[in-house]
Amino acid sequence: MSDFPTKARVVIIGGGVVGTSSLYHLAKKGWTDCVLLEKNELTAGSTWHAAGNVPTFSTSWAIMNMQRYSTELYARLGEEVDYPMNYHQSGSIRLAHTKERVQEFERAHAMGRYQGIEMEMWSPEEAKERYPFLETHDLEGVLYDPSDGDIDPAQLTQALAKGARDMGARILRFTPATGVTQHQDGTWTVHTGKGVIDCDYVVNAAGYYAQRVGEWFKPYGGRTVPMMVMSHQYLLTDEIPEVEAWSKAHGGSKLPLLRDVDISYYLRQEKHGFNLGPYEPNCKAHWDTDADPMPDDFSFQLWSDDLDRIEDIVTDAMERVPLMATSGVSRVINGPIPYAPDGLPLIGPMPGVKNAFEACVFTFGIAQGGGAGKVLAEWIVDGATEWDMWAVDPRRYTDYTDHDYCVKKGMETYGNEYSMHFPYHEWPAARDKKLSPVHSRVKELGGVMGAYNGWERANWFAQPGDDVSEESTHTWGRSGPWEQRIKEECEAVRDHCGVLDLPGFSRFMVKGEGAAEALRGLVTGGLPKVGRINLVYISDPRGRILTEMSCVRMGEDEFMMITAAPAQWHDRDLLQNVMPAGVTVEDVTTTRDTLIVTGPKSREILSGLTDADLSSGWLTHQSATVAGQPAYLIRVSFAGELGWEVHALNEHMPAIYEAILAAGAKPFGMYALNSLRIEKGYRAWKGDLSSDYSLLEGGLERFVKLDKPQDFPGKAAILSERQQGVKKAFVTMTVDAGDCDAPYMSCIWQNGEIVGETTSGAWGYRVGKSIALGMIRAELANPGTELEVEIYGEKRRAIVEQDQPLWDPANERLRA
C-alpha cells in the first residue's frame, strides 16, 4: 500500500465510539497526524449492538462531567461535521421507591445543577402527567433529567470518524494491530499485517479485546488489564398503537426514558414500541474460563437469547408500564460488554509504561465516549485534564486485580448497576486479596473490614452483639452500630492511646547520586534535612495538585517516600519518570506494615517496649527495636495527637502489635482516623487534594518555594496565579448537619447562589460537631461567614472557621 502511513504522532488501536472520539479530539487540538487502526469495520465491537442511551446522571463528579460533555457534543456534532444524526433528547425519569433513593437523587440533582444540567425533582403525580402509562402508587419521588436521551451508535461513530478525517487524521479499517515495540527513547512501533507505523504515543482503545492488546505492553512495564466481559441483554417489543398515538399527539416526541433503578432496568420508547434493558443480579460472565475462550474475532456477532435470566425484571416492567404487556417481543439483543471491577472505564496513562495510554473497558461507551475522547486528548497533548479524572484513571488498580477478582467484581457491579453507594457500605465480592501480617488478630478483635487498594483494613471495631450485617449499612446517615464504636475509638486516642494497623501504605525507596536534585526539580517545595521528614507536593503544568507525599530523608541522596495506598502506581510513575540513570525507585509497599500509635499516653505505652529516643521531636525519624523486633519510628500522627508511625517488615509486625496491645493501646479503625484528621483540617488525597484545585487554592502556599532555582512542573502557573490572586479558597466549616454529614461535592450556597463545593465531610467526635472541608469563592473565605451546605437535598447552615485546626489549633498536643 503506497499510501500506508509509516509515521504518526499517535496510533489508536480500536475503532469503536471511544477510539474515533479520541481521534476526533486529538485532531481538534491540532494533532492531525494521528492514525486509528480497526481490525474489522468501525463499530464492530460493543458499539454496534449498544442500546445508545446517553444519560448525564452520576454520583461521580468526574463521570457526570464526562457524560454532560457528551450530551453537549452530540447535540452539535451533526452540524459540526456535516453528518446526519439520530439523537433524541427525550429526557428521562428515574423512579425512587425509598427515602434513601430520593436522597441519592437529591445529591445528583445538586451536582447536576452545579454543572448546568437542569435536573428537577418531581412528585409521582407530576411524573404521571408526563408519562401517562406509568404506575406510580408505590413511589417516593422521581428525578427528571431533560438532557437524557438516546443516539444511534453507528451514526455517532461515523460522524466522529468523518470529523477526524476531514481534519487530516487517518483511519485504517481491516488493519489489525499485531503488536508493539518500544524503543530506547520511549517512542513506539506499532505492527500490523500491512506494515509498521512509528509513533510517539499508543492508545489501547480495543474495547473488550483491551486485555489481549494490553499483553503486548508487558515487556515495557505493563500489566494485565483489569477487566472481564459480561453478557448484556435488551429486548425490543412490537409496535404499540397507544405509544404511536401519544407520539403523534405530542408532535412526534418520544416518551421520557424510564429508569426503575430500584428494580434495575431502563425502559425506552423505540419507534412506537419499547426497548427494555435489565441489569439482572443472576447475570452471566463470558469468556471467563478455559472452557469458554474469547474468540479471535467476534465482530458484529451476538449470543443466543437467555430470557429466563431476565424474566422477573420483564414481569416487573410490565406491571410498572402495563401497556408493555400488550405487545410481543420482536427481537432480543445479547452481546458482550466489557466491565472493569468498579464498572467505570480505564482512561489515562497506562500504568508503568511511558508514552502509552488506555481508553478502554467502557460499560457505557456511548454516553461517555464524547467526554472520554476529550479527556484522553487533553492527557496526551497537554499532560493534564480539565477535570480531575482519578475515578477512571487506570492506575487506580494495582497488582491485586487477578482474574478471579475481575470476574467476581464485574458480576457484582453489573448485578448492582443502579445500587446506591452508601458511605458505610463495603461490597463483599472478591475480598481478602491483600492481608496485613496481623489481619487475623485484627478480625479477632472485632475489626469490620474495608478494602483500600486491595488491602484489608479495619473500618471500626465491633463489640459482641453489634449488628455487622450488610443491611445495616444501607443508610446515608452517620447513625448505625458503628457510631458509638467510632466515638469510643476517637476518645481513646484523645485520652489515652490508640493503635491502627495500616497495611498498604505506599512506600518507595529512592536512592542514588542525583536523587535529591531530581526530587527538587519535581516537588514544589523544599526537602527535609537528613533525619527529618516533611510533606512535599507535586503539581501538574497548571499548578494544580497531583499528589502529596511524606518525604523521609535517610541520607543526602537516600529517601523513603510515603503516600496514600490508592496512589501506589500513580505516584510510582511520577517518581520513576523523572529519576536520572543511577537512581533507583524501589517499591517496598508489600514487604512492610505500619502501625499508627497515637494519643497522650503513646510515649508511655512505647517507652517500655522500645530503645528508641522518644524525646526526639516532631517530624523526626529513627531506627530502633520495638518488642525486640527491628522497626522504624517516624514522629508524626495523622490523628493530630502525640504519636508515632511504627514501620516494620511483615514478619516482625505480629510481635510488635501484640506487645502494643498488651501495653494498653486500644485498636481503632479508618472511620475514626477520618474523623480525627478532619478535625485537624488534614487533607485527604483525591478529595481535598485533587487536580481540580491549584496548590494556592488548596491553601498549600507554605509548601511552595518559588525562589528555588529548579523549574518544577507548574512553577510558572503558580507564580502567575499568585500575582493575579486565587478565585477559590480552601476552608474548614462547621455544619448544622442533622443526621448526615456532607458527602464529597455537596453544593455550598449563599443567598440562593452556589458559591463552592465540599471536598470531604465527617463528624468530629473530639469537637462534637459536623465538619466539612471545601472550596468556596475566595472573597467569602473569612472566619464567621455564614453559608449553607446542601446535604441530600437539605440546605444546612454552615460557618467558615478560622484557618487553623478545630482541634488543638496550636498543635501543642501533637508536639508534646
Side-chain angles (χ1 to χ4, degrees), residues 8-26:
R9 261 187 171 177
V10 182
V11 171
I12 298 168
I13 300 170
V17 67
V18 175
T20 55
S21 178
S22 299
L23 188 71
Y24 174 78
H25 283 87
L26 284 166

Side-chain angles (χ1 to χ4, degrees), residues 409-545:
K409 293 303 286 187
M411 293 182 71
E412 179 183 62
T413 299
Y414 180 95
N416 292 279
E417 188 60 64
Y418 293 127
S419 293
M420 292 172 276
H421 295 267
F422 296 110
Y424 296 97
H425 177 247
E426 292 283 337
W427 295 98
R431 295 293 295 273
D432 292 352
K433 288 300 178 181
K434 289 183 174 183
L435 303 181
S436 146
V438 297
H439 175 77
S440 59
R441 183 71 171 112
V442 169
K443 292 270 287 184
E444 187 180 290
L445 291 165
V448 180
M449 312 305 286
Y452 298 79
N453 191 30
W455 291 95
E456 294 290 324
R457 294 176 177 173
N459 283 328
W460 60 287
F461 284 84
Q463 298 298 315
D466 287 347
D467 183 359
V468 295
S469 67
E470 191 177 350
E471 292 72 24
S472 71
T473 67
H474 291 175
T475 174
W476 303 108
R478 83 179 71 85
S479 179
W482 52 82
E483 185 178 23
Q484 179 62 24
R485 304 299 170 225
I486 298 170
K487 179 176 183 288
E488 292 165 357
E489 292 168 23
C490 291
E491 289 171 347
V493 171
R494 180 194 68 192
D495 300 334
H496 190 260
C497 178
V499 58
L500 170 65
D501 179 44
L502 200 68
F505 230 158
S506 300
R507 299 177 193 79
F508 306 95
M509 302 304 299
V510 181
K511 61 176 100 173
E513 186 176 349
E517 187 59 26
L519 283 172
R520 289 190 192 99
L522 176 64
V523 306
T524 61
L527 302 179
K529 295 177 181 178
V530 175
R532 303 283 297 179
I533 171 178
N534 65 6
L535 288 176
V536 296
Y537 291 85
I538 300 173
S539 73
D540 70 12
R542 304 161 302 174
R544 297 191 184 184
I545 305 164

Side-chain angles (χ1 to χ4, degrees), residues 10 12 16 66 137 166 375 412 513 552 564 608 638 654 658 668 681:
V10 182
I12 298 168
M66 199 162 62
H137 60 280
D166 288 349
V375 165
E412 179 183 62
E513 186 176 349
V552 183
F638 199 50
E658 284 299 335
F668 70 101

